[in-house]
Amino acid sequence: MELLGYGNPARLDATFAALADPTRRAILARLAQGEASVTELARPFAMSQPAISKHLKVLERAGLVSRGKDQQRRPVRVQAQPLAEANAWIEDYRRILEANYRRLDSLLAELQAKP
Amino acid sequence: MELLGYGNPARLDATFAALADPTRRAILARLAQGEASVTELARPFAMSQPAISKHLKVLERAGLVSRGKDQQRRPVRVQAQPLAEANAWIEDYRRILEANYRRLDSLLAELQAKP
DNA sequence: CATGAGAATAACCATTTGGTTATGGAACTA
DNA sequence: TAGTTCCATAACCAAATGGTTATTCTCATG
């Protein structure tokens, strides 16, 4: 089967890189409860608003987030699809590893059966 | 339930950061077929051996890989557990999103039932 | 129109990242 | 012992990252 490496690599790069920062994961966790404005997202963090805007840009480049317009506010919504791709990569990988473990198990069993 | 944010954050940082590079994902894909020496891992890449050693160090710091000793060779093996943690984070997240979608669906259904 | 709130952008800075070449050490091999 | 293979380490470099402050833009409202 060997799916590993399929899918858009640059997209995966951006997704995993976006997830590699605790602030950004916290932002996503907040957004899982519903959309929020930039200021609302910034409030819990000991960090300036421009810093949060930068993090949002990283999340947006990864496609993990999209922005709307509501008067002066720019509500941020979560976007599920890139997560699905990242998840697929990891799942494929784990599936292959498990298959290998099973092969190793049956090999060991075979060696034990006919010593 | 709200599991998001549990688990060792620094560990997650390292794991996602390690996965954010296509060379390192390719190395993991190669290692899924079985352990390999540094030179074997380096061969497919248009990149120097020290560069691969650096990538391996990143993977090792993330706990995604461990190294053995076999004479002059330093065989590299894959380590599945950190992947499981990364996977758990993503899965938790997607689960929460899906729950929200379901809530939204039933809200819409309710609005349609009594207009 | 003046003010103020929400958010983006610019300019700057320190640190990290991903690569290089050069060198050195450890273990096999002739 | 001398050479060779495998790998790590050091020193260096350019670019990216994650933060800052200062400024600007947009929109709503007094």
Side-chain angles (χ1 to χ4, degrees):
Chain A
M1 188 104 345
E2 193 58 27
L3 299 175
L4 255 33
Y6 286 63
N8 188 338
R11 171 76 153 224
L12 268 187
D13 289 4
T15 303
F16 282 127
L19 294 177
D21 184 281
T23 301
R24 287 192 293 262
R25 285 198 306 276
I27 288 176
L28 288 178
R30 164 63 187 81
L31 288 176
Q33 306 170 201
E35 71 175 30
S37 73
V38 175
T39 327
E40 283 164 3
L41 289 173
R43 193 145 36 226
F45 298 100
M47 201 178 296
S48 65
Q49 167 261 313
I52 299 295
S53 280
K54 278 194 180 184
H55 281 302
L56 289 176
K57 196 168 289 180
V58 172
L59 290 168
E60 195 177 18
R61 256 190 28 225
L64 285 164
V65 126
S66 69
R67 323 164 87 120
K69 262 186 207 190
D70 170 33
Q71 321 210 110
Q72 315 105 303
R73 331 179 96 234
R74 297 289 175 280
V76 183
R77 292 182 283 299
V78 89
Q79 218 66 36
Q81 190 229 343
L83 255 300
E85 291 175 20
N87 200 43
W89 192 92
I90 295 184
E91 282 294 351
D92 286 352
Y93 190 72
R94 282 157 57 72
R95 202 171 35 69
I96 292 174
L97 287 187
E98 278 159 27
N100 292 350
Y101 290 148
R102 273 195 300 276
R103 266 200 290 281
L104 183 59
D105 276 352
S106 55
L107 177 61
L108 290 178
E110 199 172 339
L111 287 176
Q112 218 166 15
K114 339 173 192 164
Chain B
M1 187 106 347
E2 192 59 25
L3 299 177
L4 254 33
Y6 286 63
N8 187 339
R11 172 75 154 225
L12 267 187
D13 288 5
T15 303
F16 282 128
L19 293 178
D21 183 282
T23 301
R24 287 191 293 262
R25 287 198 305 276
I27 289 176
L28 288 178
R30 164 65 187 79
L31 289 176
Q33 307 170 201
E35 71 174 32
S37 72
V38 176
T39 326
E40 283 164 3
L41 288 174
R43 194 146 36 227
F45 297 100
M47 201 178 297
S48 66
Q49 168 261 313
I52 298 296
S53 280
K54 278 195 180 184
H55 280 301
L56 289 175
K57 195 169 291 181
V58 172
L59 290 169
E60 196 176 18
R61 255 191 28 226
L64 285 163
V65 127
S66 69
R67 324 165 85 122
K69 262 185 208 192
D70 171 32
Q71 320 210 109
Q72 317 105 303
R73 330 179 98 236
R74 297 289 173 277
V76 183
R77 292 180 285 298
V78 89
Q79 218 67 35
Q81 190 229 343
L83 255 301
E85 291 175 19
N87 201 42
W89 194 92
I90 295 184
E91 283 294 351
D92 286 352
Y93 190 72
R94 282 157 58 71
R95 201 173 35 69
I96 293 174
L97 287 187
E98 278 159 26
N100 292 350
Y101 290 149
R102 273 195 299 276
R103 267 200 289 282
L104 183 59
D105 275 352
S106 55
L107 177 62
L108 290 177
E110 200 173 337
L111 287 177
Q112 220 167 15
K114 339 172 191 165

